[in-house]
Structures are given as C-alpha cells and as structure tokens.
Amino acid sequence: MMKNLIKFSALILGVGLSMTALAADPLVGTQWVTYDKGQPKSIIKITETNHKLSGTIVKLLDPRATGKTVCEICQGKFHNKPLTGATVFTGLTAIGNGRYEGGDITDPETGKTYSMSATLNGTSLDVRGYIGVTVLGRTQTWQKK
C-alpha cells in the first residue's frame, strides 16, 4: 500500500513538472512591429535560450526612411553589419505578471546599448531602454504582428 502511495505521488509530481515545462513564456516565438516616433521601423522575433529572451530583426519595414540597411555607426559586433538578422536585445528575464527585466538593448541607428525592461499588455509590449535607473530612459510601444 505504501509503495503504491509513493508511486502515485511521484506520478503526480512528474505530471506537475511536465505541465510547468510546457508553460512557455508568452513572448517566445512571437513577432513585434517596432515603432519610433510613431513610424513602424522593423519586425522583431523573440526567442528564448536558457530562460533569457532575445530579439532579432527579421525585417526592416522601410529602410528608405533612414537609408540604412547596415549599421555603419554601431560599435562592436554591429559595426558595418546588416540590420536584418541582427540581435538587438538579449538577457531579458520574466519576473511575473507580464513584466521583464535584466536585458540589454542596442539602438541600431546609434549603436548605443542600454539596459532594458518590458511590460506585456495584451497585444502591445512596452519596451524601455535606460541608463542606470529606469527613470532615465524612454519607452517604445511595440505591437504584436
């Protein structure tokens, strides 16, 4: 009788852990239209590695608007690289209730990297880039594609 109880408990625990593993972050695999000053700029796809989210540009919506398809002024790994395919944010971690922190985001137009946080609001994602503290930054609202 005790063996059966232990086996049943182990089975329930295993099912619970499997269900937790299936509960993927709602941002993983989604695509977002980025906006700057009200204009659509690009489409970003969000992926996950080791519970950290990153975002890669999959399409520039109007490269003629900035005249840039390559990041000429970027520093480091983005310098003179195509913007399409560039990973522009990394390290974002879910902290609960649709909130994310701990990421770094690079502005492809300036090449500057900022700390990043984000908040999921249904079909919009408020992305905040900042230096030091979140008060010293700005927020863009991205729309789910």
Side-chain angles (χ1 to χ4, degrees):
M1 179 74 156
M2 186 61 123
K3 284 184 182 179
N4 288 339
L5 183 58
I6 292 171
K7 286 180 184 177
F8 181 72
S9 296
L11 175 66
I12 295 301
L13 180 61
V15 169
L17 292 174
S18 296
M19 294 302 284
T20 301
L22 292 175
D25 189 285
L27 292 182
V28 175
T30 59
Q31 293 188 6
W32 298 83
V33 178
T34 67
Y35 292 84
D36 191 24
K37 300 174 187 160
Q39 298 300 311
K41 291 288 191 174
S42 64
I43 298 174
I44 304 283
K45 181 175 183 178
I46 299 178
T47 57
E48 179 182 34
T49 304
N50 298 325
H51 306 291
K52 303 279 185 183
L53 302 177
S54 59
T56 302
I57 299 173
V58 293
K59 183 177 183 182
L60 295 175
L61 295 176
D62 190 1
R64 293 172 293 152
T66 62
K68 296 179 182 179
T69 58
V70 171
C71 193
E72 297 164 353
I73 63 171
C74 291
Q75 302 294 317
K77 67 181 180 179
F78 292 114
H79 183 67
N80 284 330
K81 301 289 186 200
L83 292 173
T84 301
T87 299
V88 292
F89 78 81
T90 59
L92 201 61
T93 305
I95 61 169
N97 297 324
R99 294 182 23 229
Y100 300 83
E101 290 182 355
D104 291 311
I105 188 164
T106 300
D107 180 347
E109 290 192 19
T110 66
K112 294 182 180 178
T113 299
Y114 304 92
S115 296
M116 175 189 183
S117 63
T119 304
L120 179 61
N121 297 307
T123 60
S124 67
L125 184 66
D126 294 329
V127 176
R128 185 154 186 87
Y130 59 94
I131 297 172
V133 293
T134 58
V135 178
L136 302 175
R138 74 180 182 114
T139 300
Q140 288 183 342
T141 299
W142 300 355
Q143 296 299 318
K144 193 169 184 180
K145 182 172 182 277

